[in-house]
Amino acid sequence: GAGQQQQQHQQQQVQQQEQPRNPQVSGRVTYSRLLEFVADSSVTRVDLYEMGRTAVVTAKIGDREQQLVCDLPGATTGLIEKLQAKNISIEVHGPEKPNQLTTALADAAFPLLIIAGLLFLRS
């Protein structure tokens, strides 16, 4: 029946999401080293993970492109400005676990619903 088909379809979607997106990483760098790479214009791309706490940096070192992991300090706004100034592409990846994301969305939506309800009652 139709219910069975739908279940199969959901399973296919789950399989697609589970493919690892993480690039091949060749090493780790400190935050200060990362800033040096940015200043040297060696960095071509930065992927931010875990709400901006971890960066995977694609940098051209010599004639080879390498991917380096960097643990970022709390405030990364300065870093993002530097990257934008150098026209380095930035990719921000949300939390990997979809269920975390939905609970976060639900948490964010709940106060909004209350506020909307209050505004509605007031009018």
Side-chain angles (χ1 to χ4, degrees), residues 8-56:
Q8 278 179 327
H9 185 63
Q10 280 174 338
Q11 279 173 338
Q12 279 175 338
Q13 278 183 326
V14 169
Q15 280 172 342
Q16 283 173 350
Q17 284 172 348
E18 284 179 62
Q19 286 176 347
R21 272 195 320 221
N22 290 350
Q24 288 296 307
V25 171
S26 51
R28 293 186 82 82
V29 285
T30 58
Y31 184 62
S32 54
R33 192 88 179 91
L34 166 59
L35 293 179
E36 285 171 32
F37 284 144
V38 171
D40 292 346
S41 302
S42 321
V43 177
T44 54
R45 174 194 169 104
V46 174
D47 289 86
L48 296 175
Y49 293 92
E50 293 170 32
M51 314 297 286
R53 282 199 295 266
T54 306
V56 176

mmCIF file of all heavy atoms in Angstrom, residues 8-56:
data_model
loop_
_atom_site.group_PDB
_atom_site.id
_atom_site.type_symbol
_atom_site.label_atom_id
_atom_site.label_comp_id
_atom_site.label_asym_id
_atom_site.label_seq_id
_atom_site.Cartn_x
_atom_site.Cartn_y
_atom_site.Cartn_z
ATOM 1 N N GLN A 8 9.638 3.323 2.733
ATOM 2 C CA GLN A 8 10.840 3.070 1.939
ATOM 3 C C GLN A 8 11.484 4.389 1.536
ATOM 4 O O GLN A 8 12.688 4.545 1.597
ATOM 5 C CB GLN A 8 10.479 2.266 0.681
ATOM 6 C CG GLN A 8 10.356 0.782 0.957
ATOM 7 C CD GLN A 8 9.968 0.013 -0.297
ATOM 8 O OE1 GLN A 8 9.242 0.529 -1.137
ATOM 9 N NE2 GLN A 8 10.442 -1.198 -0.420
ATOM 10 N N HIS A 9 10.660 5.337 1.155
ATOM 11 C CA HIS A 9 11.159 6.635 0.710
ATOM 12 C C HIS A 9 11.926 7.317 1.848
ATOM 13 O O HIS A 9 13.006 7.854 1.651
ATOM 14 C CB HIS A 9 9.986 7.504 0.259
ATOM 15 C CG HIS A 9 10.426 8.820 -0.323
ATOM 16 N ND1 HIS A 9 11.193 8.896 -1.457
ATOM 17 C CD2 HIS A 9 10.213 10.102 0.086
ATOM 18 C CE1 HIS A 9 11.432 10.175 -1.722
ATOM 19 N NE2 HIS A 9 10.857 10.922 -0.804
ATOM 20 N N GLN A 10 11.387 7.254 3.058
ATOM 21 C CA GLN A 10 12.058 7.867 4.209
ATOM 22 C C GLN A 10 13.405 7.214 4.474
ATOM 23 O O GLN A 10 14.373 7.884 4.770
ATOM 24 C CB GLN A 10 11.170 7.768 5.450
ATOM 25 C CG GLN A 10 10.089 8.852 5.456
ATOM 26 C CD GLN A 10 9.113 8.690 6.597
ATOM 27 O OE1 GLN A 10 8.967 7.600 7.142
ATOM 28 N NE2 GLN A 10 8.429 9.749 6.952
ATOM 29 N N GLN A 11 13.449 5.894 4.328
ATOM 30 C CA GLN A 11 14.712 5.195 4.570
ATOM 31 C C GLN A 11 15.776 5.634 3.573
ATOM 32 O O GLN A 11 16.921 5.845 3.938
ATOM 33 C CB GLN A 11 14.498 3.678 4.466
ATOM 34 C CG GLN A 11 13.915 3.090 5.749
ATOM 35 C CD GLN A 11 13.553 1.633 5.583
ATOM 36 O OE1 GLN A 11 13.351 1.161 4.464
ATOM 37 N NE2 GLN A 11 13.447 0.920 6.689
ATOM 38 N N GLN A 12 15.383 5.827 2.328
ATOM 39 C CA GLN A 12 16.333 6.271 1.306
ATOM 40 C C GLN A 12 16.908 7.642 1.674
ATOM 41 O O GLN A 12 18.096 7.876 1.565
ATOM 42 C CB GLN A 12 15.646 6.363 -0.054
ATOM 43 C CG GLN A 12 15.531 5.008 -0.741
ATOM 44 C CD GLN A 12 14.731 5.095 -2.028
ATOM 45 O OE1 GLN A 12 13.944 6.023 -2.202
ATOM 46 N NE2 GLN A 12 14.905 4.138 -2.916
ATOM 47 N N GLN A 13 16.046 8.540 2.137
ATOM 48 C CA GLN A 13 16.503 9.878 2.505
ATOM 49 C C GLN A 13 17.532 9.815 3.623
ATOM 50 O O GLN A 13 18.536 10.501 3.581
ATOM 51 C CB GLN A 13 15.324 10.732 2.962
ATOM 52 C CG GLN A 13 14.545 11.329 1.793
ATOM 53 C CD GLN A 13 13.426 12.222 2.272
ATOM 54 O OE1 GLN A 13 12.820 11.955 3.309
ATOM 55 N NE2 GLN A 13 13.137 13.266 1.529
ATOM 56 N N VAL A 14 17.278 8.960 4.604
ATOM 57 C CA VAL A 14 18.206 8.844 5.732
ATOM 58 C C VAL A 14 19.572 8.388 5.241
ATOM 59 O O VAL A 14 20.587 8.938 5.630
ATOM 60 C CB VAL A 14 17.656 7.863 6.795
ATOM 61 C CG1 VAL A 14 18.712 7.529 7.830
ATOM 62 C CG2 VAL A 14 16.430 8.472 7.456
ATOM 63 N N GLN A 15 19.581 7.418 4.334
ATOM 64 C CA GLN A 15 20.858 6.908 3.832
ATOM 65 C C GLN A 15 21.658 8.016 3.149
ATOM 66 O O GLN A 15 22.856 8.114 3.320
ATOM 67 C CB GLN A 15 20.618 5.769 2.851
ATOM 68 C CG GLN A 15 20.341 4.453 3.571
ATOM 69 C CD GLN A 15 19.906 3.358 2.618
ATOM 70 O OE1 GLN A 15 19.488 3.639 1.494
ATOM 71 N NE2 GLN A 15 19.986 2.125 3.051
ATOM 72 N N GLN A 16 20.980 8.863 2.391
ATOM 73 C CA GLN A 16 21.684 9.935 1.685
ATOM 74 C C GLN A 16 22.342 10.893 2.664
ATOM 75 O O GLN A 16 23.445 11.349 2.447
ATOM 76 C CB GLN A 16 20.713 10.704 0.800
ATOM 77 C CG GLN A 16 20.387 9.943 -0.488
ATOM 78 C CD GLN A 16 19.295 10.618 -1.281
ATOM 79 O OE1 GLN A 16 18.653 11.536 -0.793
ATOM 80 N NE2 GLN A 16 19.057 10.146 -2.484
ATOM 81 N N GLN A 17 21.671 11.198 3.766
ATOM 82 C CA GLN A 17 22.203 12.167 4.720
ATOM 83 C C GLN A 17 23.422 11.641 5.455
ATOM 84 O O GLN A 17 24.216 12.412 5.963
ATOM 85 C CB GLN A 17 21.133 12.529 5.748
ATOM 86 C CG GLN A 17 20.080 13.469 5.183
ATOM 87 C CD GLN A 17 18.926 13.672 6.142
ATOM 88 O OE1 GLN A 17 18.805 12.946 7.123
ATOM 89 N NE2 GLN A 17 18.084 14.632 5.871
ATOM 90 N N GLU A 18 23.556 10.324 5.542
ATOM 91 C CA GLU A 18 24.618 9.777 6.371
ATOM 92 C C GLU A 18 25.971 9.719 5.678
ATOM 93 O O GLU A 18 26.950 9.341 6.284
ATOM 94 C CB GLU A 18 24.236 8.367 6.856
ATOM 95 C CG GLU A 18 23.208 8.423 7.975
ATOM 96 C CD GLU A 18 22.811 7.041 8.437
ATOM 97 O OE1 GLU A 18 23.689 6.331 8.922
ATOM 98 O OE2 GLU A 18 21.648 6.671 8.299
ATOM 99 N N GLN A 19 26.030 10.102 4.413
ATOM 100 C CA GLN A 19 27.323 10.089 3.734
ATOM 101 C C GLN A 19 28.234 11.109 4.396
ATOM 102 O O GLN A 19 27.826 12.242 4.623
ATOM 103 C CB GLN A 19 27.145 10.452 2.255
ATOM 104 C CG GLN A 19 26.522 9.331 1.464
ATOM 105 C CD GLN A 19 26.254 9.731 0.017
ATOM 106 O OE1 GLN A 19 26.312 10.901 -0.320
ATOM 107 N NE2 GLN A 19 25.940 8.764 -0.798
ATOM 108 N N PRO A 20 29.462 10.712 4.726
ATOM 109 C CA PRO A 20 30.346 11.662 5.398
ATOM 110 C C PRO A 20 30.714 12.800 4.463
ATOM 111 O O PRO A 20 31.093 12.581 3.319
ATOM 112 C CB PRO A 20 31.585 10.820 5.755
ATOM 113 C CG PRO A 20 31.525 9.637 4.858
ATOM 114 C CD PRO A 20 30.089 9.421 4.487
ATOM 115 N N ARG A 21 30.539 14.023 4.950
ATOM 116 C CA ARG A 21 30.845 15.185 4.136
ATOM 117 C C ARG A 21 32.241 15.707 4.455
ATOM 118 O O ARG A 21 32.741 16.579 3.794
ATOM 119 C CB ARG A 21 29.852 16.307 4.452
ATOM 120 C CG ARG A 21 28.603 16.273 3.634
ATOM 121 C CD ARG A 21 27.917 17.590 3.770
ATOM 122 N NE ARG A 21 28.004 18.059 5.156
ATOM 123 C CZ ARG A 21 27.014 18.642 5.798
ATOM 124 N NH1 ARG A 21 25.876 18.838 5.204
ATOM 125 N NH2 ARG A 21 27.152 19.052 7.042
ATOM 126 N N ASN A 22 32.824 15.216 5.545
ATOM 127 C CA ASN A 22 34.095 15.784 5.969
ATOM 128 C C ASN A 22 35.190 15.490 4.965
ATOM 129 O O ASN A 22 35.357 14.365 4.530
ATOM 130 C CB ASN A 22 34.496 15.221 7.334
ATOM 131 C CG ASN A 22 33.601 15.742 8.443
ATOM 132 O OD1 ASN A 22 32.816 16.654 8.206
ATOM 133 N ND2 ASN A 22 33.707 15.182 9.615
ATOM 134 N N PRO A 23 35.932 16.516 4.590
ATOM 135 C CA PRO A 23 37.021 16.320 3.631
ATOM 136 C C PRO A 23 38.178 15.548 4.259
ATOM 137 O O PRO A 23 38.214 15.339 5.466
ATOM 138 C CB PRO A 23 37.443 17.745 3.284
ATOM 139 C CG PRO A 23 36.998 18.571 4.448
ATOM 140 C CD PRO A 23 35.795 17.892 5.022
ATOM 141 N N GLN A 24 39.108 15.134 3.437
ATOM 142 C CA GLN A 24 40.309 14.464 3.941
ATOM 143 C C GLN A 24 41.173 15.518 4.617
ATOM 144 O O GLN A 24 41.605 16.473 3.983
ATOM 145 C CB GLN A 24 41.085 13.837 2.769
ATOM 146 C CG GLN A 24 40.420 12.621 2.181
ATOM 147 C CD GLN A 24 40.338 11.480 3.181
ATOM 148 O OE1 GLN A 24 41.336 11.094 3.765
ATOM 149 N NE2 GLN A 24 39.149 10.971 3.394
ATOM 150 N N VAL A 25 41.415 15.331 5.894
ATOM 151 C CA VAL A 25 42.156 16.330 6.646
ATOM 152 C C VAL A 25 43.601 15.877 6.794
ATOM 153 O O VAL A 25 43.863 14.729 7.125
ATOM 154 C CB VAL A 25 41.503 16.525 8.023
ATOM 155 C CG1 VAL A 25 42.372 17.397 8.916
ATOM 156 C CG2 VAL A 25 40.129 17.149 7.852
ATOM 157 N N SER A 26 44.551 16.776 6.521
ATOM 158 C CA SER A 26 45.952 16.358 6.568
ATOM 159 C C SER A 26 46.670 16.831 7.821
ATOM 160 O O SER A 26 47.807 16.458 8.045
ATOM 161 C CB SER A 26 46.684 16.862 5.326
ATOM 162 O OG SER A 26 46.458 18.244 5.160
ATOM 163 N N GLY A 27 46.035 17.666 8.638
ATOM 164 C CA GLY A 27 46.730 18.087 9.851
ATOM 165 C C GLY A 27 45.899 19.056 10.670
ATOM 166 O O GLY A 27 44.762 19.352 10.336
ATOM 167 N N ARG A 28 46.510 19.546 11.746
ATOM 168 C CA ARG A 28 45.836 20.516 12.602
ATOM 169 C C ARG A 28 46.668 21.794 12.651
ATOM 170 O O ARG A 28 47.887 21.744 12.567
ATOM 171 C CB ARG A 28 45.710 19.982 14.038
ATOM 172 C CG ARG A 28 44.784 18.792 14.157
ATOM 173 C CD ARG A 28 44.609 18.417 15.614
ATOM 174 N NE ARG A 28 43.607 19.248 16.266
ATOM 175 C CZ ARG A 28 42.287 19.041 16.186
ATOM 176 N NH1 ARG A 28 41.827 18.038 15.491
ATOM 177 N NH2 ARG A 28 41.457 19.835 16.819
ATOM 178 N N VAL A 29 46.010 22.920 12.813
ATOM 179 C CA VAL A 29 46.737 24.174 12.984
ATOM 180 C C VAL A 29 46.169 24.927 14.173
ATOM 181 O O VAL A 29 45.016 24.734 14.543
ATOM 182 C CB VAL A 29 46.638 25.093 11.732
ATOM 183 C CG1 VAL A 29 47.512 24.584 10.614
ATOM 184 C CG2 VAL A 29 45.213 25.262 11.277
ATOM 185 N N THR A 30 46.990 25.793 14.748
ATOM 186 C CA THR A 30 46.505 26.656 15.820
ATOM 187 C C THR A 30 45.783 27.843 15.189
ATOM 188 O O THR A 30 45.938 28.120 14.003
ATOM 189 C CB THR A 30 47.679 27.179 16.663
ATOM 190 O OG1 THR A 30 48.566 27.889 15.794
ATOM 191 C CG2 THR A 30 48.429 26.039 17.330
ATOM 192 N N TYR A 31 45.036 28.542 16.007
ATOM 193 C CA TYR A 31 44.281 29.690 15.509
ATOM 194 C C TYR A 31 45.233 30.777 14.994
ATOM 195 O O TYR A 31 45.000 31.366 13.943
ATOM 196 C CB TYR A 31 43.395 30.234 16.635
ATOM 197 C CG TYR A 31 42.495 31.363 16.213
ATOM 198 C CD1 TYR A 31 41.528 31.168 15.226
ATOM 199 C CD2 TYR A 31 42.593 32.623 16.797
ATOM 200 C CE1 TYR A 31 40.686 32.195 14.838
ATOM 201 C CE2 TYR A 31 41.759 33.659 16.413
ATOM 202 C CZ TYR A 31 40.801 33.438 15.432
ATOM 203 O OH TYR A 31 39.970 34.452 15.040
ATOM 204 N N SER A 32 46.339 30.995 15.701
ATOM 205 C CA SER A 32 47.272 32.048 15.268
ATOM 206 C C SER A 32 47.916 31.684 13.925
ATOM 207 O O SER A 32 48.128 32.537 13.070
ATOM 208 C CB SER A 32 48.347 32.299 16.324
ATOM 209 O OG SER A 32 48.994 31.097 16.660
ATOM 210 N N ARG A 33 48.193 30.381 13.731
ATOM 211 C CA ARG A 33 48.758 29.916 12.454
ATOM 212 C C ARG A 33 47.727 30.116 11.333
ATOM 213 O O ARG A 33 48.070 30.505 10.219
ATOM 214 C CB ARG A 33 49.126 28.442 12.591
ATOM 215 C CG ARG A 33 49.972 27.909 11.467
ATOM 216 C CD ARG A 33 51.460 28.125 11.743
ATOM 217 N NE ARG A 33 52.263 27.588 10.653
ATOM 218 C CZ ARG A 33 52.634 28.299 9.588
ATOM 219 N NH1 ARG A 33 52.262 29.560 9.449
ATOM 220 N NH2 ARG A 33 53.375 27.754 8.649
ATOM 221 N N LEU A 34 46.474 29.832 11.660
ATOM 222 C CA LEU A 34 45.407 30.022 10.682
ATOM 223 C C LEU A 34 45.370 31.487 10.229
ATOM 224 O O LEU A 34 45.260 31.777 9.042
ATOM 225 C CB LEU A 34 44.060 29.609 11.291
ATOM 226 C CG LEU A 34 42.800 30.049 10.545
ATOM 227 C CD1 LEU A 34 42.763 29.507 9.141
ATOM 228 C CD2 LEU A 34 41.562 29.621 11.300
ATOM 229 N N LEU A 35 45.482 32.403 11.179
ATOM 230 C CA LEU A 35 45.460 33.828 10.839
ATOM 231 C C LEU A 35 46.645 34.187 9.943
ATOM 232 O O LEU A 35 46.513 35.010 9.038
ATOM 233 C CB LEU A 35 45.464 34.685 12.111
ATOM 234 C CG LEU A 35 44.200 34.579 12.971
ATOM 235 C CD1 LEU A 35 44.328 35.456 14.204
ATOM 236 C CD2 LEU A 35 42.947 34.939 12.193
ATOM 237 N N GLU A 36 47.796 33.547 10.183
ATOM 238 C CA GLU A 36 48.960 33.781 9.317
ATOM 239 C C GLU A 36 48.661 33.319 7.889
ATOM 240 O O GLU A 36 48.978 34.020 6.929
ATOM 241 C CB GLU A 36 50.191 33.032 9.840
ATOM 242 C CG GLU A 36 50.834 33.676 11.058
ATOM 243 C CD GLU A 36 51.914 32.792 11.669
ATOM 244 O OE1 GLU A 36 52.581 32.043 10.913
ATOM 245 O OE2 GLU A 36 52.083 32.835 12.904
ATOM 246 N N PHE A 37 48.066 32.121 7.770
ATOM 247 C CA PHE A 37 47.708 31.611 6.435
ATOM 248 C C PHE A 37 46.763 32.584 5.731
ATOM 249 O O PHE A 37 46.894 32.823 4.536
ATOM 250 C CB PHE A 37 47.040 30.235 6.537
ATOM 251 C CG PHE A 37 47.989 29.104 6.804
ATOM 252 C CD1 PHE A 37 47.606 28.039 7.613
ATOM 253 C CD2 PHE A 37 49.256 29.085 6.247
ATOM 254 C CE1 PHE A 37 48.476 26.981 7.854
ATOM 255 C CE2 PHE A 37 50.129 28.026 6.484
ATOM 256 C CZ PHE A 37 49.735 26.983 7.295
ATOM 257 N N VAL A 38 45.788 33.103 6.489
ATOM 258 C CA VAL A 38 44.826 34.041 5.902
ATOM 259 C C VAL A 38 45.564 35.289 5.423
ATOM 260 O O VAL A 38 45.353 35.776 4.310
ATOM 261 C CB VAL A 38 43.721 34.408 6.925
ATOM 262 C CG1 VAL A 38 42.851 35.543 6.392
ATOM 263 C CG2 VAL A 38 42.862 33.183 7.232
ATOM 264 N N ALA A 39 46.490 35.786 6.256
ATOM 265 C CA ALA A 39 47.255 36.987 5.902
ATOM 266 C C ALA A 39 48.114 36.745 4.654
ATOM 267 O O ALA A 39 48.289 37.636 3.826
ATOM 268 C CB ALA A 39 48.120 37.416 7.079
ATOM 269 N N ASP A 40 48.641 35.524 4.537
ATOM 270 C CA ASP A 40 49.472 35.175 3.364
ATOM 271 C C ASP A 40 48.646 34.896 2.115
ATOM 272 O O ASP A 40 49.209 34.570 1.078
ATOM 273 C CB ASP A 40 50.267 33.873 3.632
ATOM 274 C CG ASP A 40 51.310 34.067 4.701
ATOM 275 O OD1 ASP A 40 51.601 35.234 5.031
ATOM 276 O OD2 ASP A 40 51.819 33.056 5.209
ATOM 277 N N SER A 41 47.326 34.931 2.246
ATOM 278 C CA SER A 41 46.421 34.567 1.144
ATOM 279 C C SER A 41 46.602 33.108 0.711
ATOM 280 O O SER A 41 46.412 32.788 -0.455
ATOM 281 C CB SER A 41 46.617 35.492 -0.057
ATOM 282 O OG SER A 41 46.393 36.823 0.329
ATOM 283 N N SER A 42 47.002 32.240 1.632
ATOM 284 C CA SER A 42 47.128 30.807 1.294
ATOM 285 C C SER A 42 45.783 30.101 1.374
ATOM 286 O O SER A 42 45.606 29.038 0.796
ATOM 287 C CB SER A 42 48.071 30.094 2.263
ATOM 288 O OG SER A 42 49.168 30.890 2.592
ATOM 289 N N VAL A 43 44.852 30.680 2.131
ATOM 290 C CA VAL A 43 43.584 30.000 2.396
ATOM 291 C C VAL A 43 42.622 30.238 1.241
ATOM 292 O O VAL A 43 42.445 31.371 0.799
ATOM 293 C CB VAL A 43 42.964 30.504 3.714
ATOM 294 C CG1 VAL A 43 41.609 29.851 3.966
ATOM 295 C CG2 VAL A 43 43.898 30.224 4.876
ATOM 296 N N THR A 44 42.008 29.140 0.740
ATOM 297 C CA THR A 44 41.051 29.286 -0.353
ATOM 298 C C THR A 44 39.612 29.106 0.119
ATOM 299 O O THR A 44 38.679 29.609 -0.493
ATOM 300 C CB THR A 44 41.326 28.256 -1.471
ATOM 301 O OG1 THR A 44 41.339 26.959 -0.883
ATOM 302 C CG2 THR A 44 42.667 28.527 -2.133
ATOM 303 N N ARG A 45 39.456 28.380 1.232
ATOM 304 C CA ARG A 45 38.099 28.077 1.676
ATOM 305 C C ARG A 45 38.122 27.688 3.149
ATOM 306 O O ARG A 45 39.070 27.056 3.612
ATOM 307 C CB ARG A 45 37.575 26.911 0.836
ATOM 308 C CG ARG A 45 36.238 26.364 1.245
ATOM 309 C CD ARG A 45 36.031 25.022 0.559
ATOM 310 N NE ARG A 45 34.872 24.367 1.141
ATOM 311 C CZ ARG A 45 33.683 24.292 0.544
ATOM 312 N NH1 ARG A 45 33.512 24.820 -0.625
ATOM 313 N NH2 ARG A 45 32.691 23.678 1.132
ATOM 314 N N VAL A 46 37.054 28.047 3.868
ATOM 315 C CA VAL A 46 36.944 27.671 5.276
ATOM 316 C C VAL A 46 35.555 27.089 5.506
ATOM 317 O O VAL A 46 34.563 27.698 5.127
ATOM 318 C CB VAL A 46 37.169 28.893 6.199
ATOM 319 C CG1 VAL A 46 36.910 28.523 7.656
ATOM 320 C CG2 VAL A 46 38.584 29.421 6.049
ATOM 321 N N ASP A 47 35.511 25.905 6.093
ATOM 322 C CA ASP A 47 34.236 25.294 6.475
ATOM 323 C C ASP A 47 34.116 25.358 7.988
ATOM 324 O O ASP A 47 35.017 24.888 8.693
ATOM 325 C CB ASP A 47 34.191 23.828 6.034
ATOM 326 C CG ASP A 47 34.074 23.696 4.532
ATOM 327 O OD1 ASP A 47 35.106 23.712 3.837
ATOM 328 O OD2 ASP A 47 32.934 23.599 4.064
ATOM 329 N N LEU A 48 33.024 25.920 8.472
ATOM 330 C CA LEU A 48 32.821 26.030 9.918
ATOM 331 C C LEU A 48 31.850 24.948 10.381
ATOM 332 O O LEU A 48 30.791 24.760 9.787
ATOM 333 C CB LEU A 48 32.277 27.413 10.272
ATOM 334 C CG LEU A 48 33.212 28.581 9.980
ATOM 335 C CD1 LEU A 48 32.514 29.904 10.250
ATOM 336 C CD2 LEU A 48 34.481 28.486 10.806
ATOM 337 N N TYR A 49 32.229 24.249 11.447
ATOM 338 C CA TYR A 49 31.393 23.189 12.030
ATOM 339 C C TYR A 49 31.143 23.502 13.493
ATOM 340 O O TYR A 49 31.844 24.322 14.090
ATOM 341 C CB TYR A 49 32.101 21.833 11.936
ATOM 342 C CG TYR A 49 32.272 21.331 10.519
ATOM 343 C CD1 TYR A 49 33.413 21.612 9.795
ATOM 344 C CD2 TYR A 49 31.266 20.591 9.908
ATOM 345 C CE1 TYR A 49 33.565 21.167 8.493
ATOM 346 C CE2 TYR A 49 31.407 20.135 8.606
ATOM 347 C CZ TYR A 49 32.553 20.425 7.912
ATOM 348 O OH TYR A 49 32.690 19.977 6.624
ATOM 349 N N GLU A 50 30.164 22.765 14.071
ATOM 350 C CA GLU A 50 29.885 22.858 15.518
ATOM 351 C C GLU A 50 29.666 24.303 15.943
ATOM 352 O O GLU A 50 30.338 24.806 16.850
ATOM 353 C CB GLU A 50 31.038 22.245 16.326
ATOM 354 C CG GLU A 50 31.159 20.749 16.122
ATOM 355 C CD GLU A 50 32.443 20.222 16.743
ATOM 356 O OE1 GLU A 50 32.887 20.782 17.750
ATOM 357 O OE2 GLU A 50 32.995 19.264 16.205
ATOM 358 N N MET A 51 28.753 24.980 15.270
ATOM 359 C CA MET A 51 28.398 26.360 15.624
ATOM 360 C C MET A 51 29.622 27.282 15.604
ATOM 361 O O MET A 51 29.757 28.168 16.426
ATOM 362 C CB MET A 51 27.742 26.407 17.015
ATOM 363 C CG MET A 51 26.674 25.370 17.268
ATOM 364 S SD MET A 51 25.236 25.557 16.177
ATOM 365 C CE MET A 51 24.464 26.994 16.905
ATOM 366 N N GLY A 52 30.541 27.020 14.686
ATOM 367 C CA GLY A 52 31.695 27.894 14.551
ATOM 368 C C GLY A 52 32.833 27.606 15.515
ATOM 369 O O GLY A 52 33.749 28.405 15.643
ATOM 370 N N ARG A 53 32.789 26.448 16.173
ATOM 371 C CA ARG A 53 33.878 26.119 17.111
ATOM 372 C C ARG A 53 35.038 25.410 16.428
ATOM 373 O O ARG A 53 36.144 25.401 16.935
ATOM 374 C CB ARG A 53 33.343 25.243 18.258
ATOM 375 C CG ARG A 53 32.592 26.045 19.310
ATOM 376 C CD ARG A 53 32.487 25.279 20.604
ATOM 377 N NE ARG A 53 31.682 24.073 20.449
ATOM 378 C CZ ARG A 53 30.378 24.022 20.702
ATOM 379 N NH1 ARG A 53 29.734 25.090 21.078
ATOM 380 N NH2 ARG A 53 29.731 22.894 20.564
ATOM 381 N N THR A 54 34.744 24.763 15.303
ATOM 382 C CA THR A 54 35.789 24.033 14.582
ATOM 383 C C THR A 54 35.799 24.507 13.141
ATOM 384 O O THR A 54 34.731 24.657 12.535
ATOM 385 C CB THR A 54 35.503 22.524 14.614
ATOM 386 O OG1 THR A 54 35.332 22.132 15.968
ATOM 387 C CG2 THR A 54 36.651 21.731 13.999
ATOM 388 N N ALA A 55 36.980 24.732 12.600
ATOM 389 C CA ALA A 55 37.083 25.128 11.200
ATOM 390 C C ALA A 55 37.911 24.094 10.459
ATOM 391 O O ALA A 55 38.900 23.594 10.987
ATOM 392 C CB ALA A 55 37.740 26.500 11.085
ATOM 393 N N VAL A 56 37.484 23.753 9.238
ATOM 394 C CA VAL A 56 38.321 22.970 8.343
ATOM 395 C C VAL A 56 38.774 23.941 7.263
ATOM 396 O O VAL A 56 37.961 24.489 6.523
ATOM 397 C CB VAL A 56 37.571 21.768 7.739
ATOM 398 C CG1 VAL A 56 38.457 21.044 6.733
ATOM 399 C CG2 VAL A 56 37.155 20.811 8.842
#
